[in-house]
Amino acid sequence: MRYSLTSLLKQTLTGHKGWTPQWRDAAPKAEYDIIIVGGGGHGLATAYYLAKEYGLRNIAVLEKSWIGSGNIGRNTTIIRSNYLLSENISLYELSLKLWEGLEQDFNYNAMVSQRGVLNLYHSDGQRDAYARRGNMMRLNGADSELLDREGVRKLYPFLNFDAARFPIQGGLLQKRGGTVRHDAVAWGYARGASDRGVDVIQNCEVTGIDIVDGRAVGVQTSRGAIRAKKIGLAVAGSSSRVAAMAGMRLPIESHVLQAFVSEGLKPVIPGVITFGAGHFYISQSDKGGLVFGGDIDGYNSYAQRGNLPVVEDVCEGGMALMPAIGRARMLRNWGGLVDMSMDGSPIIDRTHVKGLYLNAGWCYGGFKATPGSGFVFAHLLAKDEPHPAANRLLLDRFLSGHIVDEKGQGAQPNLH
Amino acid sequence: MRIPCPYCGSRDASEFSYSGDATLTRPAPDNADAMFDYVYLRDNPVGVHREYWYHDAGCHAWLTVTRNVSTHEVIDAVLAHDEAAS
Amino acid sequence: MSISRRLASGGLIDRSKPINFTFDGKTYGGYAGDTLASALLANDTMLVGRSFKYHRPRGIFSAGPEEPNALVTLRTGARGEPNTKATTVELFDGLVASSQNCWPSPNFDLRAVHQLAGPLLNAGFYYKTFMWPAAFWEKFYEPAIRRSAGLGALSGLDDPDTYERSHAFCDLLVIGAGPAGLAAALAAGRAGARVIVAEEDFVLGGRLLSDSAQIDGVSAASWAALAEAELGTLPNVRILKRTAVFGVYDGEYGAIERVSDHLSVPPPFAPRQRLWKIVAQQCVLAAGAQERPLVFPGNDRPGIMLASALRTYANRFGVTPGQRIAIFTTSDDGWRSAFELQKAGAEIAVVVDARTEVAPDVRKLAGNAPQFLGAHVSDTSGYRRLTNITITDSAGQTRSVAVDTLGVSGGWSPSIGIATHLGGKGSWSEEKSAFLCNDLPPGMQLAGAAAAQWTLTQALENGALAGAKAASHVGLGLQAQKPILAGDEASGNNPVWLFKGSRRKAFVDLQNDVTATDVALAAQEGFRSVEQLKRYTTLGMATDQGKTSNVNGLAILAGEIKKTIAETGATRARPPYVPVAIGAFAGLHSGKHFKPTRLTASHAASAAAGATFVEAGQWMRAQWFNAPGENDWLQSVTREVKAVRSSVGICDVSTLGKIALCGSDVGTFLDRVYINTFSTLPVGKVRYGVMLREDGFVMDDGTTGRLSADHYVMTTTTVNAGKVMQHLEYCHQVLWPELDVQMVSVTEQWAQYAVAGPKSRALLQALLGGACDVSNEAFPYLACAEFHVGNIPLRLFRVSFSGELAYEIAAPAGYGEALFNALMQAGKALGVTPYGTEALSVMRIEKGHVAGSELNGQTVARDLGLGRMMSVKKDYIGRTMAAREALIDPDRPTLVGLRPVDRSQRLRNGALLFARGMTPAPDNNAGFITSTAFSPGNNHWIGLGLLACGLERHGEIIRAWDPVRSGDLELEVVDPVFVDAEGARLRA
């Protein structure tokens, strides 16, 4: 059923009896052309674009739990393309453009809100780095503005300008950045994919990848074996575990990233603000909660939860930047598993196993990439060649040295 | 998380820096493939993991910590130096 | 004047201490020992707010932290605290509170028009509309939604109070000081265990304060007071009142103590709140249980409350919230509430139990009140206050009963939230009608109602046993416990999750306005996992975190999808269990105290000399020195540069990392960590070195001097001091433990000053006299020495960052200020000039030295013109990976000098480089400007940049594109060394 004000009014008059499941709760068939492992944002988006852009229908998305249970369900909802390197900007900018038309495209209000993303700088060195970044963004078709201190003050007069340990000198603003109602993205893609014939299969855990003569031919699951011509892995957070089923070791560690939400408050923070002298960024949801986060905990983890030192570190950043939030209460704090790659950038590529494709290594940037990731992964799966916007995010870059290291931290995942 | 530092006793993990997999061995010079493996590829296992922690805010010892990455249970911590020298 | 609902006697309030407070501008009276909620109820003020979505009138619902409705903004101005639960606010004189989410008042709220649109605004309606046109979302729909959403408002002012963080260590942490917690603390405390008892309330006792039971022959409340008194005599027991344990983390518990929240303003030097981080060997979670409401049509009217809350208001606060009270229950405990209320003097109009069979002993508890078994409440009426309930009896007959208060009791859920923080899952027990937790955090036991040990006797026994066990786990003897004598009570329950009746909304989550119909709609639309239900309907996501709604919601979902509750499961509990102020987590680290401030030894002297300081990591460094008459930083910096180049200047370089290395294998060790060779470095010499990361990119650079045969001192960049130390320790301890090397960071131990300029030798000669011969012959370029002046050890290095004849002289930090002053004194006649980091930077750019903006972690040695330093005769960290294809690509951007074709133009860092006339496009990008400075020597701006094939492009005119600053100019590519290319000056 198409969603619109008309359908909503009509259903209201008939007691909402006519709403149907937003996606079919499909049971696995014996064989598919393409299996996407992972019913998170990236997996569902991939299936959606495979169906929509390439007319492929015989597709299954396998989710071990409920769809949207991964990082699409536990992030800080920010979208942006304010990266330094062309390799990343091209992908994230493609993603941002897709976000801009997403709701009309998949007929689901995911509350894409381009409220602006501001990264603050506190030193000349940071200013220079942001100037370079802003220039690189412009070069790659993204929008960026370099603000001085007064420019920042005009936008956010309540920030701590006067009694700061690291005074704000200015910021890099991307007006087209913003926030999205994250869960709705998973549901919207699931609905769109399902409507186009994709089987969205929940509670179906992949336990093995069947490889014959160097070619992936299917998967073993908790609901039986399923054959497939192509298999795409979109299981960030658990990429190493699943890739190990195909005998692969990845340039990835799994880490935990915590995020936080406060009690609901009347509007106080219009856009997204990132502190430049500590680990803290914040926005406010439409429901009124301050949504904030900081750095990863920094140790390998599969536990989906973190520890107090990082909670304290994040809140210290918050209190350094905006002491007015001191009396707002943290309501909920959760942790998600992230694939921290060795250069801090994602990997979207074929693998040494024919018919097996990898979409991994999203670090903490996965949510904003969702549409773009799905779009380029669908291209890779359908055409067997990388999409031009992601043709340098390949697995062999580590061997050749064409690494995409935004922060210049080297092969230590927890520093990215 | 608390780490039992052999020198300093049980200390909060925030006193330490983390640097990952401790099962890797630096390969001999000029073995580019082995060096690539060593620098970039990780088992990244579920469950028990042996990993390096550096007692930054303490004795400056590198520790080999055995920890369950699924439960965060710290099972053991020894001096990496002793392990490497043995 | 409103009616007083205060009972003539009874309660644990102190009637000798009246308290005045203000709610919504009106002044009321209460007593010490009241909560804001009990005092409002005593003043017959039930309606205190409006609901989140429909703005329906809502009254006080509970008597504790589970409160979904009675959220107020406490205090005013910068101390205003939105969303504060009136049921947990300890009343203090002068308290000011106001209602939220309603305008102009809870009694008359204009946004109540939302109710008219009620049928439209069901679960997830917003996902289906507001999409057209796309631009309208940010402009129109969203602002409207945001304005009406949210609850209370932040003041927007900086929080004026302070917060502390404290660490505590104990054998046993007891969470909750109700019967089970007190019994546990007594048992463990008597056995000698170090016990911390954390109680969220301001009085110990928990349910003991709400019950009229007898324990050991005294009233329950007296027993609690006696237990507290005894615990107070035990030196090994610490009681933390007003302290909520909000989370279990790996190896520690987080708790929040509301130190001063019960006072109008924190006392001088006292924090508002204190965050406790408690390391406990053992833990007894005795947090009690949470009464469940019932879901039936019209169940949200002011006057409908948890039955146990009514009992608490009557027994603990001496307040009966209404005149005629009905009880609607599915549990024996509902009857007990009726009994307690009657005993306290309230009128029970009727008891309705959905169960057809109730034990006679239980039915007796209702006294003379009419009883309906197998019946339920099927409708209610009354807008701002409940006026009537409709009872549908077992035969289907309905009747209306006039009541102003309805107590609801749907059984109890153990408060196990924090027990699941480490990932343990609650499992549904049909027998107990509750989620229990078997998969507990290490060292934790549950006791009392938290373990579904419902009765008082069970709680006391169970608590004592848990306390004794905990003591024995930490090596103390298991002591026989004196039995505690208390009466027994019935605790039967047979939950019914949803009652049918009128077409009114049956609310599941009162705060987020989630109804049973919403849950059903979510299931109908395919949201069949509890987590999806939560996300689609927002059930349980309000400030009460679903304490009263989660179980009912998932049970209704289970019914909809024809599964058991066990199969449906619960959502994952996330900390904090109670909301905690962000300020408390930050502790003292806010504003200027965000991070420590590190000052160098010359700080005061530099300040006196006119220095402006700049943050360099945690350090404050002199950026430039303002001389009289200068009003522009560039003027000061230019003067400083000219002074150094023509005479002599002093710059504090103490912040550079300094690492002492000792041992017979230091040379070998350095060979392995630097790309160039150090094992050949003679004693008394310094060498510049570059380190790579193992991935082949440059990590850091600096000099290392050999002071004696087995004593070296290395310098690192300021920013990488810690990182390099860690790296070297790794190399030594993990990679090459066989090497005889010891190292220690001495950054803080030595103050170090650059003495630079053609007259630097003269200055040092004046200062040192015969202590050290600094002539070019005795002390040539790259010499170093350690010597004494008097009994002060000094170190001298002939190194130059500026390109001038220069030295760095170091003294123990304690003598740092004296050395700085002595240098200034000795140079007075030579016109010595102190210079800051800006002048330092200008001169290094003029000299083509790389610094942070070139050592950005993305460059290899060759990019920086340092490729020839890479030894081919030895292995070193990063060598193998540095040979990768992309790292040796001849087209990589390499370091070049840049100057504007139009010399009047200014260069800017971060501008992108393109071949002349080339359109800015990603594939055309040839590099960027890394560093810029106004060069006083050249009298124009100069820069360094990384440019593709840069070495071959000297003389080429290129384009610098800088759209973020509207810049676009032509540059000439030149050699990166702008002064003294032959290096004659530094060897002078």
Side-chain angles (χ1 to χ4, degrees):
Chain A
M1 186 193 308
R2 191 174 159 74
Y3 291 161
S4 66
L5 186 59
T6 318
S7 68
L8 186 62
L9 287 169
K10 203 168 134 199
Q11 286 300 324
T12 302
L13 296 175
T14 56
H16 298 284
K17 296 276 188 279
W19 297 118
T20 51
Q22 298 194 351
W23 64 90
R24 287 176 297 109
D25 198 13
K29 295 190 289 194
E31 182 167 7
Y32 291 92
D33 290 342
I34 299 177
I35 282 177
I36 307 295
V37 183
H42 291 219
L44 292 165
T46 304
Y48 174 79
Y49 291 116
L50 277 169
K52 179 168 176 283
E53 301 293 324
Y54 302 98
L56 300 170
R57 295 285 187 271
N58 189 23
I59 297 168
V61 177
L62 308 184
E63 167 55 46
K64 73 171 173 175
S65 171
W66 39 280
I67 62 160
S69 58
N71 290 330
I72 193 91
R74 56 189 91 253
N75 58 70
T76 45
T77 80
I78 295 166
I79 60 169
R80 57 183 174 86
S81 64
N82 57 356
Y83 283 77
L84 171 67
L85 304 173
S86 295
E87 292 89 330
N88 278 325
I89 305 173
S90 59
L91 174 63
Y92 286 98
E93 181 56 24
L94 167 69
S95 199
L96 194 49
K97 290 201 169 81
L98 288 167
W99 281 119
E100 288 174 324
L102 183 64
E103 295 156 303
Q104 292 70 31
D105 185 57
F106 69 13
N107 181 230
Y108 206 90
N109 184 359
M111 304 181 200
V112 175
S113 176
Q114 294 181 286
R115 330 180 56 75
V117 172
L118 177 67
N119 285 25
L120 297 170
Y121 61 80
H122 308 259
S123 70
D124 291 353
Q126 266 185 323
R127 177 202 58 211
D128 297 344
Y130 277 143
R132 180 185 169 203
R133 190 196 286 215
N135 286 334
M136 288 297 287
M137 290 166 66
R138 298 267 192 110
L139 184 65
N140 286 277
D143 66 305
S144 67
E145 285 172 50
L146 193 67
L147 305 182
D148 61 10
R149 184 179 155 94
E150 290 316 305
V152 172
R153 200 196 288 271
K154 223 181 262 175
L155 277 181
Y156 292 106
F158 56 84
L159 298 181
N160 180 12
F161 287 92
D162 303 320
R165 175 69 182 81
F166 299 102
I168 296 166
Q169 288 195 14
L172 182 68
L173 176 67
Q174 182 174 35
K175 283 188 176 162
R176 289 164 59 245
T179 57
V180 177
R181 170 77 187 99
H182 58 106
D183 291 315
V185 178
W187 305 332
Y189 276 125
R191 176 167 165 268
S194 181
D195 284 354
R196 287 169 171 81
V198 172
D199 279 358
V200 176
I201 304 167
Q202 302 185 95
N203 300 305
C204 183
E205 180 172 6
V206 170
T207 54
I209 296 171
D210 296 331
I211 298 168
V212 176
D213 298 333
R215 178 167 200 100
V217 295
V219 293
Q220 298 292 322
T221 79
S222 55
R223 295 171 74 172
I226 310 174
R227 290 191 304 279
K229 297 193 179 84
K230 290 180 179 176
I231 300 166
L233 307 182
V235 291
S238 298
S239 296
S240 298
R241 277 205 290 171
V242 180
M245 295 173 191
M248 296 172 69
R249 291 170 80 222
L250 299 179
I252 284 172
E253 287 179 0
S254 294
H255 282 256
V256 60
L257 176 64
Q258 301 192 60
F260 310 85
V261 66
S262 79
E263 296 178 341
L265 297 162
K266 290 294 176 198
V268 50
I269 298 175
V272 182
I273 309 169
T274 299
F275 187 33
H279 302 113
F280 178 75
Y281 59 88
I282 189 167
S283 67
Q284 188 170 17
S285 76
D286 286 344
K287 269 174 67 193
L290 306 179
V291 181
F292 55 104
D295 203 7
I296 56 173
D297 269 43
Y299 42 78
N300 283 45
S301 174
Y302 282 101
Q304 281 197 344
R305 61 182 175 76
N307 276 297
L308 269 180
V310 168
V311 182
E312 295 167 68
D313 182 65
V314 169
C315 291
E316 287 171 11
M319 290 299 286
L321 183 63
M322 41 176 79
I325 62 169
R327 297 175 101 88
R329 298 187 196 90
M330 181 193 296
L331 178 62
R332 204 161 47 244
N333 159 215
W334 62 95
L337 299 187
V338 293
D339 273 4
M340 292 304 295
S341 71
M342 284 287 171
D343 63 358
S345 296
I347 300 160
I348 307 160
D349 202 358
R350 294 157 287 210
T351 68
H352 74 286
V353 179
K354 279 206 173 67
L356 183 67
Y357 301 79
L358 181 68
N359 174 324
W362 288 98
C363 299
Y364 38 77
F367 175 70
K368 68 183 78 70
T370 305
S373 165
F375 198 85
V376 300
F377 200 39
H379 182 280
L380 180 69
L381 280 157
K383 303 205 154 185
D384 220 31
E385 63 185 41
H387 186 279
N391 60 8
R392 283 173 292 178
L393 297 170
L394 307 180
L395 201 44
D396 68 0
R397 68 178 187 264
F398 300 97
L399 194 57
S400 68
H402 290 101
I403 61 160
V404 185
D405 187 350
E406 289 271 330
K407 292 187 183 169
Q409 292 290 3
Q412 196 174 331
N414 64 346
L415 297 181
H416 289 293
Chain B
M1 218 147 55
R2 297 187 67 81
I3 293 175
C5 174
Y7 284 130
C8 310
S10 168
R11 295 301 181 98
D12 194 275
S14 57
E15 293 185 7
F16 298 78
S17 305
Y18 178 80
S19 99
D21 196 334
T23 63
L24 306 161
T25 307
R26 187 168 190 267
D30 298 320
N31 186 340
D33 288 347
M35 188 59 86
F36 167 72
D37 264 35
Y38 168 74
V39 173
Y40 286 108
L41 300 186
R42 298 291 178 265
D43 287 338
N44 193 20
V46 177
V48 175
H49 189 235
R50 284 170 66 72
E51 54 199 26
Y52 288 126
W53 292 76
Y54 174 63
H55 201 178
D56 232 334
C59 59
H60 280 205
W62 278 93
L63 308 183
T64 305
V65 174
T66 307
R67 188 175 63 96
N68 185 322
V69 295
S70 305
T71 63
H72 294 176
E73 180 199 2
V74 176
I75 298 157
D76 184 37
V78 298
L79 296 177
H81 180 279
D82 290 356
E83 282 216 319
S86 66
Chain C
M1 189 66 202
S2 58
I3 311 157
S4 173
R5 293 280 174 204
R6 190 78 71 177
L7 295 163
S9 62
L12 303 172
I13 47 168
D14 186 347
R15 292 176 195 250
S16 71
K17 289 186 186 152
I19 283 176
N20 285 317
F21 69 100
T22 307
F23 178 67
D24 274 348
K26 197 171 157 192
T27 303
Y28 300 91
Y31 295 111
D34 261 328
T35 62
L36 175 57
S38 70
L40 285 169
L41 288 173
N43 288 283
D44 201 32
T45 301
M46 171 65 81
L47 170 59
V48 291
R50 292 277 170 153
S51 69
F52 184 73
K53 189 154 86 175
Y54 301 122
H55 288 255
R56 286 175 62 87
R58 289 286 166 77
I60 295 163
F61 187 71
S62 74
E66 67 271 31
E67 178 62 32
N69 288 345
L71 303 184
V72 300
T73 296
L74 186 65
R75 300 186 168 88
T76 56
R79 288 200 162 85
E81 283 162 57
N83 307 334
T84 305
K85 295 170 178 109
T87 50
T88 62
V89 174
E90 190 174 345
L91 201 66
F92 56 84
D93 207 32
L95 178 152
V96 178
S98 51
S99 55
Q100 309 183 146
N101 208 36
C102 51
W103 191 84
S105 78
N107 272 309
F108 181 75
D109 177 11
L110 285 175
R111 285 222 169 92
V113 295
H114 288 201
Q115 290 174 58
L116 297 176
L120 184 72
L121 310 182
N122 61 0
F125 75 96
Y126 29 76
Y127 299 125
K128 297 169 183 156
T129 184
F130 300 140
M131 284 176 268
W132 306 271
F136 269 39
W137 175 251
E138 285 94 343
K139 286 206 185 90
F140 180 70
Y141 304 126
E142 189 178 42
I145 288 175
R146 284 170 85 93
R147 269 196 305 276
S148 71
L151 293 162
L154 282 177
S155 70
L157 304 170
D158 290 359
D159 189 343
D161 293 334
T162 57
Y163 300 85
E164 279 182 7
R165 294 199 297 236
S166 283
H167 295 258
F169 297 79
C170 62
D171 295 326
L172 171 64
L173 171 65
V174 177
I175 302 173
L182 287 171
L186 283 170
R190 285 168 185 159
R194 293 177 306 150
V195 179
I196 292 176
V197 183
E199 169 55 53
E200 186 173 3
D201 207 333
F202 52 93
V203 186
L204 303 193
R207 67 171 282 194
L208 299 175
L209 309 174
S210 305
D211 281 357
S212 64
Q214 298 273 305
I215 305 172
D216 285 345
V218 298
S219 75
S222 303
W223 188 87
L226 290 169
E228 181 178 357
E230 182 182 345
L231 290 171
T233 65
L234 297 173
N236 49 321
V237 176
R238 171 179 215 160
I239 298 171
L240 295 174
K241 283 184 191 173
R242 303 182 179 97
T243 303
V245 176
F246 61 76
V248 183
Y249 300 86
D250 295 303
E252 67 182 339
Y253 296 81
I256 184 73
E257 181 183 4
R258 289 173 291 126
V259 181
S260 307
D261 278 354
H262 59 296
L263 307 169
S264 56
V265 173
F269 311 113
R272 174 182 169 229
Q273 298 183 342
R274 181 178 290 127
L275 185 88
W276 285 95
K277 302 180 6 143
I278 302 172
V279 176
Q281 303 292 312
Q282 298 283 312
C283 173
V284 171
L285 176 60
Q290 173 55 58
E291 190 167 29
R292 291 194 291 257
L294 294 170
V295 183
F296 56 93
N299 64 341
D300 71 325
R301 298 187 191 282
I304 300 177
M305 300 173 69
L306 291 173
S308 61
L310 290 171
R311 166 165 142 197
T312 297
Y313 285 115
N315 279 335
R316 178 171 169 186
F317 299 106
V319 172
T320 171
Q323 272 185 305
R324 278 173 58 78
I325 301 174
I327 299 291
F328 177 23
T329 184
T330 63
S331 76
D332 293 348
D333 199 68
W335 296 79
R336 177 159 297 276
S337 291
F339 169 77
E340 295 275 356
L341 284 163
Q342 279 182 331
K343 197 169 161 190
E347 183 198 340
I348 298 297
V350 59
V351 177
V352 181
D353 196 323
R355 300 174 297 175
T356 47
E357 284 181 27
V358 179
D361 280 359
V362 173
R363 298 183 60 176
K364 246 186 250 165
L365 291 168
N368 296 328
Q371 305 176 2
F372 291 89
L373 300 190
H376 67 276
V377 176
S378 54
D379 196 10
T380 65
S381 54
Y383 186 60
R384 295 191 179 87
R385 176 80 192 231
L386 180 69
T387 55
N388 281 79
I389 59 170
T390 302
I391 300 168
T392 301
D393 68 18
S394 52
Q397 300 287 314
T398 61
R399 75 203 67 208
S400 178
V401 180
V403 295
D404 60 5
T405 306
L406 172 65
V408 291
S409 176
W412 292 77
S413 296
S415 297
I416 53 169
I418 68 165
T420 63
H421 280 178
L422 294 191
K425 286 208 167 78
S427 58
W428 180 254
S429 160
E430 277 299 330
E431 182 206 340
K432 300 275 190 183
S433 302
F435 279 98
L436 309 180
C437 189
N438 305 316
D439 182 11
L440 292 168
M444 181 185 280
Q445 305 175 65
L446 301 178
Q453 301 291 316
W454 302 127
T455 73
L456 192 52
T457 305
Q458 283 172 342
L460 291 162
E461 283 177 358
N462 192 236
L465 183 64
K469 263 197 206 162
S472 86
H473 281 310
V474 297
L476 299 163
L478 190 58
Q479 297 196 341
Q481 296 298 313
K482 183 176 77 164
I484 306 171
L485 301 174
D488 211 348
E489 60 208 287
S491 59
N493 179 30
N494 189 13
V496 178
W497 304 111
L498 174 60
F499 294 97
K500 302 277 184 210
S502 78
R503 298 188 52 176
R504 277 185 227 287
K505 288 186 185 341
F507 287 89
V508 183
D509 182 327
L510 286 166
Q511 194 179 135
N512 268 356
D513 277 344
V514 179
T515 66
T517 318
D518 290 326
V519 175
L521 177 63
Q524 178 187 329
E525 294 194 88
F527 297 90
R528 287 157 171 263
S529 142
V530 279
E531 292 283 357
Q532 286 170 339
L533 172 75
K534 165 180 141 182
R535 288 161 157 80
Y536 192 62
T537 63
T538 74
L539 173 80
M541 296 180 84
T543 62
D544 57 341
Q545 290 271 43
K547 289 188 173 65
T548 57
S549 62
N550 279 343
V551 176
N552 285 340
L554 69 91
I556 293 170
L557 173 70
E560 290 291 334
I561 61 175
K562 310 281 184 289
K563 283 192 173 174
T564 65
I565 294 175
E567 286 165 341
T568 307
T571 56
R572 182 165 179 178
R574 294 290 192 175
Y577 187 65
V578 295
V580 178
I582 291 170
F585 283 111
L588 293 167
H589 295 258
S590 69
K592 272 221 184 281
H593 302 289
F594 170 50
K595 294 285 179 202
T597 303
R598 301 170 78 182
L599 304 181
T600 67
S602 74
H603 190 85
S606 297
T612 293
F613 294 94
V614 63
E615 298 80 14
Q618 292 180 354
W619 292 103
M620 298 302 291
R621 298 188 70 180
Q623 195 172 12
W624 59 78
F625 292 79
N626 199 267
E630 288 171 351
N631 43 25
D632 172 44
W633 67 271
L634 190 54
Q635 221 179 339
S636 306
V637 172
T638 301
R639 172 185 49 76
E640 290 169 18
V641 170
K642 284 180 171 166
V644 173
R645 295 246 183 260
S646 64
S647 171
V648 58
I650 309 286
C651 183
D652 190 334
V653 294
S654 305
T655 63
L656 292 179
K658 297 184 270 308
I659 298 169
L661 297 120
C662 295
S664 56
D665 292 328
V666 174
T668 308
F669 180 76
L670 294 177
D671 278 353
R672 296 184 189 180
V673 296
Y674 276 126
I675 62 174
N676 47 332
T677 304
F678 275 77
S679 49
T680 55
L681 183 70
V683 173
K685 283 288 183 186
V686 179
R687 190 167 287 170
Y688 173 73
V690 172
M691 282 181 205
L692 307 186
R693 300 185 305 234
E694 193 71 278
D695 68 354
F697 290 85
V698 174
M699 177 164 76
D700 200 50
D701 71 344
T703 58
T704 291
R706 189 173 187 180
L707 295 173
S708 65
D710 58 358
H711 183 190
Y712 295 68
V713 59
M714 173 189 287
T715 62
T716 74
T717 58
T718 298
V719 62
N720 283 331
K723 188 174 176 171
V724 170
M725 184 69 203
Q726 178 178 336
H727 174 68
L728 296 185
E729 294 276 21
Y730 178 86
C731 290
H732 174 232
Q733 295 178 36
V734 178
L735 300 183
W736 310 305
E738 70 281 4
L739 295 184
D740 175 26
V741 178
Q742 297 296 325
M743 65 191 81
V744 65
S745 165
V746 293
T747 305
E748 285 86 351
Q749 282 66 30
W750 290 84
Q752 194 153 317
Y753 303 96
V755 183
K759 295 181 184 168
S760 55
R761 182 176 294 128
L763 188 152
L764 287 175
Q765 278 165 340
L767 177 76
L768 300 174
C772 181
D773 180 356
V774 294
S775 66
N776 203 29
E777 298 69 36
F779 204 78
Y781 181 54
L782 295 178
C784 70
E786 191 170 31
F787 54 93
H788 284 74
V789 169
N791 57 358
I792 305 168
L794 294 176
R795 291 172 179 174
L796 191 65
F797 308 86
R798 188 161 163 201
V799 291
S800 175
F801 200 41
S802 56
E804 298 299 324
L805 167 65
Y807 303 80
E808 288 187 10
I809 183 165
Y815 294 102
E817 186 173 13
L819 176 58
F820 180 81
N821 288 332
L823 286 164
M824 292 298 291
Q825 190 60 39
K828 210 167 186 176
L830 303 166
V832 67
T833 300
Y835 66 100
T837 53
E838 284 298 328
L840 183 83
S841 176
V842 170
M843 289 186 281
R844 74 96 186 163
I845 294 168
E846 287 180 327
K847 188 65 186 168
H849 285 308
V850 293
S853 46
E854 290 85 23
L855 301 169
N856 61 7
Q858 298 160 329
T859 44
V860 301
R862 187 179 160 276
D863 300 347
L864 307 176
L866 305 169
R868 273 171 304 176
M869 287 173 65
M870 298 171 79
S871 170
V872 292
K873 295 184 191 147
K874 59 169 183 126
D875 187 38
Y876 54 87
I877 295 280
R879 189 179 76 115
T880 308
M881 288 287 98
R884 283 180 289 169
E885 166 195 328
L887 278 68
I888 54 170
D889 183 349
D891 291 346
R892 284 184 67 88
T894 47
L895 189 74
V896 294
L898 299 166
R899 62 181 179 201
V901 170
D902 171 357
R903 299 280 195 269
S904 69
Q905 295 288 325
R906 176 176 182 173
L907 274 64
R908 293 202 184 263
N909 292 9
L912 305 183
L913 303 177
F914 297 88
R916 189 182 203 173
M918 192 75 94
T919 316
D923 289 343
N924 297 339
N925 182 19
F928 69 104
I929 301 181
T930 57
S931 300
T932 57
F934 177 77
S935 168
N938 291 288
N939 202 30
H940 62 74
W941 284 82
I942 60 169
L944 299 177
L946 290 164
L947 178 68
C949 309
L951 292 175
E952 302 148 26
R953 297 171 77 166
H954 290 187
E956 185 180 331
I957 305 298
I958 59 168
R959 177 177 182 187
W961 184 68
D962 187 28
V964 293
R965 286 167 298 205
S966 309
D968 196 349
L969 65 150
E970 294 198 324
L971 307 179
E972 183 187 349
V973 181
V974 294
D975 187 90
V977 184
F978 291 87
V979 297
D980 188 28
E982 337 45 75
R985 291 195 208 169
L986 50 83
R987 291 190 174 80

